[in-house]
Amino acid sequence: MPELSLVNFNIVCATLGGFISVFGLVSFLFKERFYLSEALISLLAGVVFSPHATNFIRPKDYALGSEGNLEEITLYFTRLVLGVQLVLAGVQLPKRYLQVEWKSLSLLLGPGMAAMWICSSLIVWAMIPNFKFLHALTVGACVTPTDPVLSNSIVKGKFADKNVPRPLQRIIVAESGANDGLGYPFLYFGMFLVKYIGMGGEGYSGGAGKAIGLWFYETWVYTIIMSVVYGAVVGWLSRKTLHWAEEKRYVDRESFLVFAIALALFIVGTCGLIGTDDLLACFIAGNVFTQDDWFRLETMDDSLQPTIDMLLNLAIFMWFGAVCPWSVFAQNDIIPIYRLIFLGILILLVRRMPVIFAMHKYIHQIENLFQAAFVGFFGPIGVGAIFYMSEGREFLQGITVDGKVRDDAQRVADAMKIVVWFLAICSIVVHGLSIPLVKAGYNLPRTISTALSTSTAVDQEPVPLTNTSHTHSTATPTPGAVNSRGRKRPAHEEPRLTIFRIGRSIIGSTTQINQSQPGMGSDEEPERPVNLITHESGHGTVATRMPAE
């Protein structure tokens, strides 16, 4: 007798496959007509399928009931998605883009990121009760980078093609790709200080001097500089070997197209083995790989890379919807819910906007204040923030005294979990709904005006037919025509034919008229009846006379 096999693998495959299939049926409608991001839709689907609702996706079961295992799964999942996204971000930029646009990128990645870090940290410090500024620096570092996954929804699609200039799209892609890998120095600056000077450096000797020394050596030299060198070398070797294989005709089309994805997986794995910054290495490798623009142009019309990108986006944001600690937002010992909401509003408004307005005159891709407001507002917080939160919590929970996590490290880790998750959810929702709300607000006055003009046009009196928008025509019927009362109408009667314009449509009809009217004193023979045809032109409504049959 067959039995149901309700194991997690079968449920997850059915749920994920079913959602992607259903979303695919209406994806164009949602993304290109309603301008809704796939990240927001996937997040909502993850909530629906999570243990908070239908319980189809059960993350804790996959992690064997361990909170630590669940965070580790989330950390590795975000690493995978970011690695692929950053290689693709580097590949889609034009050749030598980092060298050509180094001035604009230096402003955004240097003083721009530093200002975003300080602004975010100050807001966190102000809004969390009894929270030290050093601890706020650690939490603020997680939300400093702009997310490359959510940025793609801004710089791709019909809305971006119509409203965002191509140079502006490219600088947003380059910034979000590079600063996601440059988040390590900001994160580890605070965490090293917490470890060596927090609570008097209990359990760890060396003080601030050792913390700064480790920050320079481990973070800047080993993590940042080494990842740049490693990514450049791997990208250069990959480009040369692929060129050679293509010239010898050793590589088939399928392997050629998937090469960038495989390169991302290789870099994520090898950087993880040696403990360096895989995110920055992936972005640098993608840029060097397309240094001559050859691979980008060869794959420009191919849909494999965007397809993989979409599948990863749908999967990761469904996972976020399922694993997000929704309950801790309202019930925790760190920050009350009303302060948390106000913190989210301030971060979205103050974290990035002021610094972009201050620097926009020196960034030639930003041509006016409207574009500065656009770049300042659309600095999303998403997958990158969750990655740095997981990385930071793993480090902080390793600060132990007598086998127990030190109190200050535990408090920072708890605050990081609540604040970063809440800000990521706020950003996904707000940035996911911004474009459709702006489009609706832009079109609403026009829609109301059209409706009001339509109702007014129906009620107004007819006016003479001219080459304007509201028109009517006077026509003389053929002699002997029958009038509305059933008797023959004399030729000298002149009933009026009214043609109304409602909106962009003409409501009316054609009728036969006689151009020769009695009482005019004309000795010429009456002309044949004609038809009066009305139509729209670029200058209004035009009447055309056509000979009647």
Side-chain angles (χ1 to χ4, degrees), residues 91-415:
V91 166
Q92 67 180 311
L93 293 174
K95 65 178 180 180
R96 296 173 52 84
Y97 187 83
L98 298 185
Q99 293 93 317
V100 173
E101 301 296 347
W102 67 270
K103 291 183 179 179
S104 298
L105 287 172
S106 297
L107 287 173
L108 291 170
L109 300 177
M113 282 194 73
M116 290 168 61
W117 177 42
I118 296 300
C119 288
S120 301
S121 302
L122 287 172
I123 295 171
V124 171
W125 182 46
M127 297 309 300
I128 299 181
N130 303 318
F131 206 60
K132 296 182 179 180
F133 183 65
L134 175 60
H135 299 168
L137 287 174
T138 306
V139 177
C142 296
V143 298
T144 296
T146 55
D147 187 60
V149 182
L150 290 175
S151 295
N152 278 340
S153 64
I154 302 167
V155 298
K156 290 182 179 179
K158 187 172 68 173
F159 178 84
D161 293 339
K162 288 184 177 181
N163 300 280
V164 184
R166 187 57 57 89
L168 199 61
Q169 295 181 27
R170 288 170 176 166
I171 197 67
I172 291 174
V173 170
E175 183 211 357
S176 63
N179 73 10
D180 220 52
L182 289 174
Y184 275 95
F186 301 100
L187 179 66
Y188 278 91
F189 178 82
M191 292 199 303
F192 278 131
L193 289 175
V194 168
K195 182 176 182 179
Y196 286 99
I197 68 174
M199 296 185 69
E202 182 181 357
Y204 299 91
S205 59
K210 185 174 183 179
I212 299 299
L214 288 173
W215 182 63
F216 272 108
Y217 168 69
E218 290 191 5
T219 304
W220 280 106
V221 177
Y222 190 81
T223 304
I224 300 300
I225 297 177
M226 183 175 177
S227 65
V228 171
V229 174
Y230 180 74
V233 171
V234 172
W236 183 83
L237 290 175
S238 300
R239 173 163 53 90
K240 291 295 183 180
T241 54
L242 187 61
H243 263 295
W244 173 81
E246 179 68 13
E247 290 174 357
K248 297 292 185 180
R249 298 186 181 276
Y250 290 162
V251 58
D252 60 11
R253 184 63 180 173
E254 290 77 11
S255 300
F256 182 85
L257 295 176
V258 81
F259 196 87
I261 309 295
L263 179 63
L265 298 177
F266 175 77
I267 294 174
V268 168
T270 52
C271 285
L273 290 173
I274 62 178
T276 190
D277 186 353
D278 47 358
L279 305 186
L280 187 57
C282 283
F283 181 70
I284 297 298
N287 276 274
V288 176
F289 182 60
T290 56
Q291 187 78 0
D292 57 358
D293 231 15
W294 170 66
F295 185 82
R296 183 180 73 90
L297 296 176
E298 287 288 327
T299 58
M300 182 175 294
D301 297 328
D302 180 72
S303 60
L304 176 63
Q305 294 176 11
T307 301
I308 299 296
D309 180 26
M310 184 201 71
L311 290 174
L312 289 175
N313 288 351
L314 294 177
I316 189 66
F317 286 106
M318 278 190 69
W319 180 257
F320 284 174
V323 302
C324 178
W326 301 97
S327 59
V328 301
F329 297 153
Q331 298 177 353
N332 63 81
D333 298 328
I334 304 296
I335 178 172
I337 183 63
Y338 70 92
R339 283 178 172 262
L340 192 60
I341 294 173
F342 196 50
L343 185 151
I345 296 172
L346 289 176
I347 288 288
L348 292 178
L349 294 178
V350 180
R351 159 181 166 264
R352 181 176 171 86
M353 191 87 70
V355 65
I356 297 297
F357 272 112
M359 299 190 308
H360 81 277
K361 292 183 179 179
Y362 307 100
I363 303 173
H364 69 88
Q365 291 88 351
I366 304 176
E367 299 177 352
N368 50 53
L369 288 175
F370 178 78
Q371 291 185 3
F374 176 80
V375 176
F377 179 72
F378 282 101
I381 302 168
V383 182
I386 302 301
F387 167 78
Y388 281 115
M389 179 208 70
S390 303
E391 183 83 11
R393 282 176 56 83
E394 185 179 53
F395 181 91
L396 290 169
Q397 290 174 349
I399 303 175
T400 58
V401 176
D402 298 329
K404 182 181 178 182
V405 180
R406 209 169 65 190
D407 290 343
D408 61 336
Q410 185 63 55
R411 179 172 170 80
V412 176
D414 293 341

